[in-house]
């Protein structure tokens, strides 16, 4: 008889946690050498405890951390087996309108209702990796009014919720060794706000495919085929394929920097990559996302998020020597 322990579904990381008011996104590269790899592996077993310790200081602060690894990092740190759909970030588009791939081995997505919680946890996690990583990108994101992006439209309206969120984001029996894991794709977008604000509200709504104030999707008879909404709605076998977004605005007004940190979770990279192809290449080719006339992707990375149980177990897993 199979024991309940053997058949228990692994606990996922905090992918589907409620949306919070603050976030820090950290992308780091792994330093060369076996000592750095060993340090990162040991750190995998400490992430949950560090998150609990910081979170206890503000019990209702909803602090959480999600950790993911790129394809190259997975091979270097943990070896085989590798999650079946994990691969380097795929670039899409043409010069001047391109989803670019940028360096990144480890992703940290830290969320809370207070930035001080995010800041303290980021400090503790990075301190524990001192000498083993180089941080190549760090963004502090914030909620903007009623969950709007910097360009003024509500973001994440079509996110799946409840059981559907689990269904669309968590790996099942299609890759049993990595059940309850997920894939996450991140991009940092910078917006040309002067050009965007020069558009009328009606013109902006045609770019996005939704009304600005009420956040209602435009009817098919008036929504342009190159609107953001039209090109990021993905169907397969007659069913819409959803992803879970937890995008955050960021910026430095004094420097003229206004951006959106895109982060999308899914049980396969396929629907997110199809969205990017539609946006940057076009559907059909050339019918690209008009939002890209006002927004530029400056980073891009694909990571695998192991289940919470596997993340802890990875502390003791070393790749086999060739």
């Amino acid at each position: 008889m199979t024991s309940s322990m053997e058949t228990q579904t692994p606990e996922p990381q905090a992918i589907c946690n409620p949306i919070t008011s603050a976030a820090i996104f950290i992308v780091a590269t792994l330093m060369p050498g076996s000592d750095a790899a060993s340090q990162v592996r040991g750190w995998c077993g400490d992430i949950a405890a560090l998150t609990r310790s910081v979170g206890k200081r503000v019990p209702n602060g909803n602090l959480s951390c999600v950790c993911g690894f790129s394809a190259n990092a997975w091979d270097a740190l943990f070896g085989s087996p590798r999650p079946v759909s994990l691969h380097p970030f795929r670039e899409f588009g043409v010069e001047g309108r391109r989803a670019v791939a940028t360096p990144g081995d480890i992703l940290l997505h830290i969320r809370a209702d207070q930035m001080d919680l995010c800041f303290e946890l980021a400090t503790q996690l990075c301190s524990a990796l001192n000498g083993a990583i180089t941080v190549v990108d760090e963004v502090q994101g914030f909620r903007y009014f009623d969950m709007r992006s910097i360009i003024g439209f509500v973001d994440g309206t079509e996110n799946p919720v409840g059981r559907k969120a689990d269904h669309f984001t968590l790996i099942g029996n299609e890759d049993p060794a990595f059940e309850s894991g997920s894939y996450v794709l991140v991009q940092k977008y910078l917006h040309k706000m002067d050009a965007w604000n020069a558009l009328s509200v009606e013109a902006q709504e045609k770019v996005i495919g939704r009304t600005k104030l009420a956040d209602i999707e435009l009817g098919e008879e008036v929504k342009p085929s190159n609107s953001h909404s039209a090109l990021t709605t993905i169907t397969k076998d007659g069913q819409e394929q959803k992803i879970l977004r937890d995008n955050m605005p960021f910026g430095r007004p004094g420097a003229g920097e206004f951006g959106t940190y895109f982060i999308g979770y899914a049980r396969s990279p396929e629907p997110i990559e199809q969205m990017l192809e539609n946006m940057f290449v076009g559907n059909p080719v050339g019918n690209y996302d008009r939002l890209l006339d006002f927004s530029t992707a400056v980073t891009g990375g694909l990571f695998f998020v192991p289940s919470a149980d596997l993340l802890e177990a990875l502390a003791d897993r070393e790749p086999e020597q060739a």
Side-chain angles (χ1 to χ4, degrees), residues 2-9:
T2 303
S3 71
S4 59
M5 181 65 71
E6 293 173 329
T7 60
Q8 186 176 1
T9 302

Side-chain angles (χ1 to χ4, degrees), residues 39-52:
Q39 187 176 344
V40 171
R41 281 191 295 270
W43 170 83
C44 289
D46 297 334
I47 295 173
L50 285 171
T51 304
R52 286 193 300 269

Side-chain angles (χ1 to χ4, degrees), residues 98-99 185-191 228 250 257-262 276 279-280 291-292 295-299:
R98 191 162 186 83
L185 191 148
V186 296
Q187 292 177 292
K188 184 164 69 174
Y189 285 87
L190 298 179
H191 305 304
H228 183 67
F250 67 91
E257 179 183 272
F258 301 89
T260 298
Y261 200 95
F262 167 80
L276 295 187
M279 290 172 61
F280 286 85
L291 183 57
L292 296 178
S295 304
T296 302
V298 295
T299 70

